[in-house]
């Protein structure tokens, strides 16, 4: 997104690009949480832990979006229809700003959220990362037990 402006609304801080903005937000999140989070790698990726969940943060600058996702479980061979219905029902309200999704090529269930990078402020970033982590941590064991 060549003409996008990356700035934090609350602080007024302007960033050279989306990756610099998200790296600053990651650093701030690490400071606030008291944990270590690596900055984005060359591909725009990093991850953190939230309870039992591993949360991936991806800056897809070519598409102008932030993708935050956490693996939940493998899609079972038996009972897929029931699982899909359960995931849709949970995605209605239980996942807040996130939703369950399935990566067909990997046969994996994820919690994910996708957000345009321009106009993203720190509070929204923190909320999205926290939401994905909490939902994945809450449902990974429960869904795996319900759909073995």
């Amino acid at each position: 997104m060549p003409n996008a402006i990356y700035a934090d609304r609350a602080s007024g801080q302007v960033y050279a690009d989306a990756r610099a903005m998200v790296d600053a937000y990651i650093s701030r999140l690490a400071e606030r949480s008291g944990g270590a989070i690596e900055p984005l790698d060359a591909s725009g990726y990093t991850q953190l832990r939230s309870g039992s969940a591993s949360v991936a943060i991806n800056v897809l600058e070519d598409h102008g979006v932030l993708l935050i996702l956490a693996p939940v479980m493998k899609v079972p061979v038996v009972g897929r229809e029931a699982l899909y219905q359960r995931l849709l029902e949970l995605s209605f309200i239980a996942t807040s700003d996130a939703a369950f999704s399935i990566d067909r090529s990997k046969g994996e269930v994820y919690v994910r959220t996708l957000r345009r990078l321009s106009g993203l402020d720190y509070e929204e970033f923190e909320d999205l990362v926290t939401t994905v982590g909490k939902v994945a941590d809450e449902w990974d064991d429960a869904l795996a037990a319900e759909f073995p």
Side-chain angles (χ1 to χ4, degrees), residues 2-138:
N3 294 324
I5 297 174
Y6 301 104
D8 184 70
R9 288 180 287 207
S11 70
Q13 173 73 41
V14 176
Y15 300 95
D17 57 32
R19 290 178 55 158
M21 177 183 69
V22 173
D23 265 336
Y25 291 172
I26 289 167
S27 177
R28 189 169 166 190
L29 180 64
E31 185 179 301
R32 289 176 57 125
S33 68
I37 307 171
E38 292 293 318
L40 297 169
D41 67 14
S43 68
Y45 171 87
T46 193
Q47 69 179 29
L48 58 101
R49 298 291 306 172
S50 179
S52 62
S54 176
V55 178
I57 299 170
N58 301 273
V59 172
L60 306 174
E61 225 167 346
D62 290 347
H63 299 286
V65 297
L66 174 70
L67 172 65
I68 303 170
L69 70 152
V72 174
M73 65 182 283
K74 290 284 186 189
V75 174
V77 175
V78 177
R80 288 181 178 193
E81 186 177 317
L83 171 66
Y84 297 161
Q85 181 171 342
R86 182 81 164 117
L87 296 177
L88 285 171
E89 291 167 353
L90 290 170
S91 291
F92 186 65
I93 293 183
T95 57
S96 188
D97 290 335
F100 285 102
S101 62
I102 295 171
D103 182 332
R104 182 178 180 181
S105 67
K106 294 181 179 180
E108 187 90 21
V109 176
Y110 290 87
V111 174
R112 72 131 181 107
T113 190
L114 190 66
R115 166 64 165 82
R116 189 180 79 245
L117 283 160
S118 62
L120 178 69
D121 60 27
Y122 173 77
E123 288 72 20
E124 185 177 11
F125 172 80
E126 180 181 43
D127 179 59
L128 294 172
V129 171
T130 301
T131 296
V132 169
K134 283 182 180 179
V135 171
D137 185 41
E138 177 180 354

